[in-house]
Amino acid sequence: MADASVIRIKPNYFIHVLDNNTNVTRVELGPRTLTRQDHEKVVLGPDPMIMVPPRHYCIIANPVVRDDDGTPISDDHGQYKLRHGDEEIRFEQDPFPLYPGEKLLGKVAPLQVVATNSALRLRAIRDFEDADKVKRVAGDEWLCEGPGTYKPRVEVQVVEITKATIIKPNQALRLRARKACLDRQGRERKAGEEWLVRQSGAYLPGVDEEVVETVNSYVLTDKKALHLKAVKTFTDELGKERKAGEEWLVRQSGAYLPGVDEEVVETVNSYVLTDKKALHLKAVKTFTDELGKERKAGEEWPITANEAETHIPDVYEQVVGEVKITTLNNRQYCVVLDPIDEKTGKPQLGKKQLRKGEVNFFLRPGEALENNIQSVYVLAEEEALLLRAKESFKSGDKVHEPGDRWMVYGPTDFVPPVQVEVVEKRKAIPLDENEGIYVRDIQSGKVRMVCGQSYMLKSNEELWSKDLPRAVEELLQKDRADSGDSFDNEGRDKTRVVTYRAPHNSAVQIYDYKEKKSRVVFGPELIMLGPDEHFTVISLSGDKPKKPHVVKTLGLSLGPDFMTDIVTVETSDHARLSLKLSYNWHFEVNKDSPEDGAKIFQVPDFVGDSCKAIASRVRGAVASVSFDSFHKHSARIIRQAVFGADARQNRFAFTSNNLVITNIDIQSVEPVDQRTRDSLQKSVQLAIEITTKSQEAAARHEAERLEQEARGRLERQKINDEAEAEKSRQELLSLQAQSAAVESTGQAKAEAKARAEAAQIEGEASVRQAQLRAEASKIKSEAELIQLKQKQEAEIDHQRKVDELDLARARELAGIDSAKFKATVTSIGAETIKAIAQAGPEMQAKMLQGLGLKGFMITDGNSPINLFNTAQGFLGGVNPSDI
């Protein structure tokens, strides 16, 4: 477009044309067709003109300078003058172009509407005089209140939109003056001053007013008051002067709005006092309460329902807490510490007071309950209380000194006095014949065992705990677990008599440390330990080979049983062998003889000692023979070493503890030395290898024999197959010759037969084709006939339906016409029709009479006239018989 010679400018469009000779840009407005000169250049456009609709505005930067008539001013060269760096706001007007240098800032925007109860906070950014002849200085602020439309100015800046605050009933608006000003009521306000606006409705703060907060009123009732504090010295709404820091209560019911200089400390609720609730108060400083009584600082007192139903604590009254009524029934009691003296009203420090039910009371300040409310001790027949005197007192005729202990037996109920302490409540302990307890006399220190009865401890007795070694505890617990007895995870009850079930054919040794005697109990038997008795723990060797202190037990098995040990021996030729031997053993003891019973426990570890003794004998016997001899006669050598030379005697007795070995079983013999073990392994491997090779040779010989037999059978089969193949080849040649002969004769026959069959097929095909053509022609003619017949039937049917429709239409039209005629006749009436019929002849008669004519006839000469009828008409219908 810039290079085009002819530029067509549409209506409401403009362009900027630069004259390169004068370097001046001019504006061309449309509608117009501009022929551009060679020295001219289009630098802008065609662009649409700026259109500002009603209630809109736009901002133009670098506006053109205009005269009083609004005409742009240009310099001597024809260049338009601009106000550079300035802006101009243009409102509703005709479309206008942008002159060279002007710019549109933003878009055309609607004017800002200021709603009701809102305002625009405006600030002058340079000095000017507004439309009301008010001079504004840069920095001045004012409000443009609604409702209305704000027209912007380049000298004014919109700071913010201020909305009115709705003040509801029982609300106020707290305002602060930004600087010295007049409020909306015309009062002078100093900078920083705060005040309340209490009128309900919408309030729009002034330009120099700042909303601090919305203050809600406090609703006060007869059970709620307001605790206020003066921030500074002022006079309240009631006209009373308040000093800075002074505190007071507002008790009047209704809504109360605190003043600006009043600080709400808290809302004080009243306490509702009932028959079961009182109030514990404390004076913060000396003052006079509502009842007119002077209270000292730190004084405490109760307020009950007898004095007031509700109480609002004063400013200098501190609520320590709510005191609930203490209620005791006839099965309860309590002990009050530091009770208040009824005469002096002061607490009796260090004293106690017993109160039994039924009673209701409030604890007064300083009083407290010892162990809260307690129930009366109700003792059954098998129960008792152990009592101890804390101070000297007299019970009946008996005087109890401090520390005395005595029992109160049931059945009864008991309330302990304040001088008595209940040590514990005891019950009678039921004991079976196999159960017992340890009882200790606290005066003499003697411990005894009580079994098989229901026993109640006396005042000078207590249960005694019997401690056992840890090993014994573990063995007893293991014994209970193996026997399936239930026991507590915490262990046994140490006050109960220790019991142990000695298994069958076993012996248990028990030692009494007080009597320094031991006794042996043979199983099966239930053992009950006395206070000074303890089990003898038996520690035996175990594992293979035997190791000391592996097996721990309380009961010693008497056998018969067996034990296994591994013994290392060395032959005369220094071959070391490991022997695994098993021994059958038992104890020979007379259970009726205490000496025999004690004798079996004289050897602490009979397993280890017996295994060592037997092993020494075996090692001595094996050391005197060679390896080969021992390998051949190991059982005999070991038996002779243990039982002696007499092979019939299978008995080896230990006289120290009556242990008898009755049999020896040799379970395994293994070399200990690695070289011996390797030699034995090599010999065994060599024997296995020789056996394997002999078996391999026999198998190889058998395989070769079978292979030769199979090869012979294969050769014979091959010869037979070749003979059969030769016979088959001869038969094949004869068959091939016969086939060639058959082939030569059969080909000619086949060709002749094929030609004959082809001719026959062709003839049959022609006949079949003619038949099919005839059938097709027949089918076609039949189809055409059927189609013609159906067409005729359809036409007949169509014509019949058309006729029926025409007939129905004519019938309906006739009905309609008859109905119409009938309706017309009915509506006109018979008399009217008669009058119409008579009106024509009568009119004609009158016309003829007026003209003096008796009759007339008018014709155009083209239509024939029936004179016969005319004559008849002239005669007026005269009857011929009358002539």
Side-chain angles (χ1 to χ4, degrees), residues 1-9 14-20 25-26 28 34-47:
M1 181 65 71
D3 298 333
S5 299
V6 178
I7 301 172
R8 292 176 175 82
I9 306 173
F14 69 96
I15 63 173
H16 288 179
V17 180
L18 173 63
D19 190 339
N20 290 323
T25 304
R26 72 179 187 274
E28 296 292 342
L34 175 66
T35 302
R36 184 179 61 83
Q37 304 297 325
D38 292 338
H39 62 276
E40 293 178 343
K41 180 181 180 181
V42 177
V43 295
L44 179 65
D47 286 347

Side-chain angles (χ1 to χ4, degrees), residues 300-312:
E300 297 182 9
W301 68 96
I303 292 183
T304 62
N306 297 330
E307 300 174 0
E309 293 182 356
T310 61
H311 181 74
I312 299 178

Side-chain angles (χ1 to χ4, degrees), residues 517-552:
K517 294 180 180 179
S518 63
R519 60 188 178 97
V520 178
V521 179
F522 295 96
E525 184 67 36
L526 178 66
I527 302 173
M528 303 179 69
L529 287 185
D532 300 314
E533 291 182 336
H534 284 276
F535 291 107
T536 300
V537 180
I538 303 171
S539 180
L540 303 177
S541 299
D543 288 343
K544 304 170 189 177
K546 289 292 183 270
K547 296 178 182 179
H549 309 298
V550 173
V551 180
K552 294 183 181 296

Side-chain angles (χ1 to χ4, degrees), residues 345-569:
K346 295 183 179 180
Q348 305 177 46
L349 302 178
K351 289 190 176 182
K352 299 180 180 179
Q353 184 181 16
L354 177 65
R355 298 181 184 178
K356 302 179 183 179
E358 303 174 350
V359 65
N360 297 324
F361 62 92
F362 289 104
L363 287 177
R364 288 176 284 186
E367 294 181 343
L369 292 181
E370 183 182 31
N371 298 327
N372 296 324
I373 299 175
Q374 304 179 56
S375 298
V376 175
Y377 289 95
V378 179
L379 303 179
E381 184 177 0
E382 298 295 330
E383 293 179 337
L385 285 179
L386 176 61
L387 306 179
R388 180 169 57 211
K390 294 189 289 185
E391 56 183 272
S392 178
F393 82 103
K394 185 177 181 181
S395 175
D397 298 334
K398 189 174 182 180
V399 178
H400 294 282
E401 298 297 331
D404 284 354
R405 295 162 60 105
W406 71 97
M407 300 280 289
V408 175
Y409 296 93
T412 184
D413 54 1
F414 179 74
V415 177
V418 295
Q419 301 89 352
V420 176
E421 175 188 5
V422 177
V423 179
E424 64 178 353
K425 185 178 182 180
R426 291 180 173 179
K427 292 183 180 180
I429 304 174
L431 300 174
D432 192 14
E433 294 180 356
N434 297 329
E435 294 179 334
I437 56 174
Y438 297 111
V439 179
R440 178 176 175 268
D441 191 331
I442 60 175
Q443 295 178 353
S444 63
K446 184 178 180 181
V447 181
R448 61 191 179 93
M449 182 173 63
V450 179
C451 300
Q453 61 177 318
S454 180
Y455 186 74
M456 172 70 77
L457 294 176
K458 298 178 181 178
S459 60
N460 61 336
E461 292 179 343
E462 65 179 4
L463 293 175
W464 180 74
S465 298
K466 181 177 179 62
D467 293 325
L468 297 176
R470 183 176 179 180
V472 176
E473 291 280 6
E474 293 176 354
L475 292 174
L476 290 175
Q477 185 173 355
K478 182 180 179 182
D479 178 68
R480 294 192 197 99
D482 294 341
S483 61
D485 292 346
S486 61
F487 57 90
D488 194 354
N489 293 331
E490 297 180 357
R492 67 179 181 88
D493 185 359
K494 294 184 179 182
T495 61
R496 293 278 178 166
V497 172
V498 179
T499 59
Y500 176 71
R501 295 182 178 90
H504 175 71
N505 199 24
S506 65
V508 179
Q509 186 181 33
I510 301 170
Y511 186 77
D512 190 338
Y513 285 92
K514 184 177 181 180
E515 301 293 335
K516 295 183 179 180
K517 294 180 180 179
S518 63
R519 60 188 178 97
V520 178
V521 179
F522 295 96
E525 184 67 36
L526 178 66
I527 302 173
M528 303 179 69
L529 287 185
D532 300 314
E533 291 182 336
H534 284 276
F535 291 107
T536 300
V537 180
I538 303 171
S539 180
L540 303 177
S541 299
D543 288 343
K544 304 170 189 177
K546 289 292 183 270
K547 296 178 182 179
H549 309 298
V550 173
V551 180
K552 294 183 181 296
T553 182
L554 298 178
L556 179 64
S557 177
L558 300 181
D561 203 345
F562 69 93
M563 53 187 172
T564 304
D565 191 14
I566 296 176
V567 181
T568 302
V569 299

Side-chain angles (χ1 to χ4, degrees), residues 53-324:
R55 300 187 63 79
H56 284 68
Y57 73 98
C58 65
I59 301 176
I60 305 298
N62 304 323
V64 68
V65 180
R66 299 176 183 271
D67 55 14
D68 296 336
D69 297 334
T71 304
I73 300 175
S74 59
D75 56 11
D76 297 338
H77 303 287
Q79 183 71 36
Y80 293 107
K81 292 183 179 181
L82 302 176
R83 290 183 290 163
H84 293 284
D86 200 356
E87 294 178 355
E88 182 180 281
I89 298 178
R90 299 179 185 176
F91 299 97
E92 174 187 357
Q93 57 182 289
D94 295 334
F96 61 90
L98 291 178
Y99 288 90
E102 290 184 337
K103 292 182 180 179
L104 176 64
L105 297 180
K107 298 180 180 180
V108 177
L111 293 175
Q112 188 169 2
V113 178
V114 184
T116 306
N117 294 331
S118 63
L120 294 180
R121 188 182 185 90
L122 306 178
R123 179 184 297 155
I125 57 177
R126 54 186 172 182
D127 299 345
F128 73 99
E129 184 176 345
D130 60 12
D132 298 331
K133 304 301 181 179
V134 179
K135 292 184 179 180
R136 302 290 185 182
V137 183
D140 283 354
E141 293 185 356
W142 67 97
L143 294 180
C144 176
E145 299 182 8
T149 303
Y150 171 68
K151 290 189 175 182
R153 296 177 61 103
V154 295
E155 300 90 353
V156 180
Q157 175 186 3
V158 178
V159 179
E160 63 179 353
I161 299 176
T162 304
K163 293 185 178 180
T165 303
I166 305 300
I167 304 176
K168 300 179 182 178
N170 297 329
Q171 279 188 343
L173 202 62
R174 186 169 185 171
L175 302 178
R176 181 188 295 128
R178 289 193 175 95
K179 63 179 182 179
C181 64
L182 293 176
D183 62 8
R184 295 202 178 261
Q185 284 77 28
R187 298 178 184 175
E188 292 186 359
R189 301 293 183 181
K190 297 180 181 180
E193 183 180 354
E194 294 184 0
W195 68 97
L196 292 180
V197 177
R198 302 172 185 266
Q199 293 82 2
S200 299
Y203 182 81
L204 187 64
V207 66
D208 297 320
E209 295 175 357
E210 176 185 1
V211 177
V212 179
E213 63 177 346
T214 300
V215 181
N216 293 318
S217 64
Y218 293 85
V219 179
L220 305 180
T221 63
D222 55 347
K223 296 183 179 180
K224 186 163 66 173
L226 204 60
H227 183 184
L228 300 178
K229 180 179 180 182
V231 178
K232 64 180 181 179
T233 302
F234 75 104
T235 302
D236 61 10
E237 289 186 341
L238 302 177
K240 188 173 182 180
E241 185 180 359
R242 301 291 184 180
K243 300 292 184 182
E246 183 180 352
E247 297 182 7
W248 68 98
L249 286 182
V250 177
R251 301 175 183 266
Q252 293 83 359
S253 300
Y256 183 80
L257 278 170
V260 175
D261 299 320
E262 295 176 352
E263 178 186 354
V264 177
V265 179
E266 62 178 344
T267 301
V268 183
N269 293 318
S270 66
Y271 292 84
V272 179
L273 305 179
T274 63
D275 294 338
K276 297 183 179 180
K277 187 168 66 174
L279 207 59
H280 182 185
L281 300 178
K282 181 179 181 181
V284 179
K285 70 176 185 178
T286 302
F287 76 105
T288 302
D289 62 9
E290 286 185 339
L291 302 178
K293 188 174 182 179
E294 185 180 2
R295 301 292 183 180
K296 300 292 184 181
E299 182 181 352
E300 297 182 9
W301 68 96
I303 292 183
T304 62
N306 297 330
E307 300 174 0
E309 293 182 356
T310 61
H311 181 74
I312 299 178
D314 206 301
V315 175
Y316 303 112
E317 291 179 354
Q318 178 184 356
V319 178
V320 179
E322 292 183 356
V323 182
K324 294 184 178 180

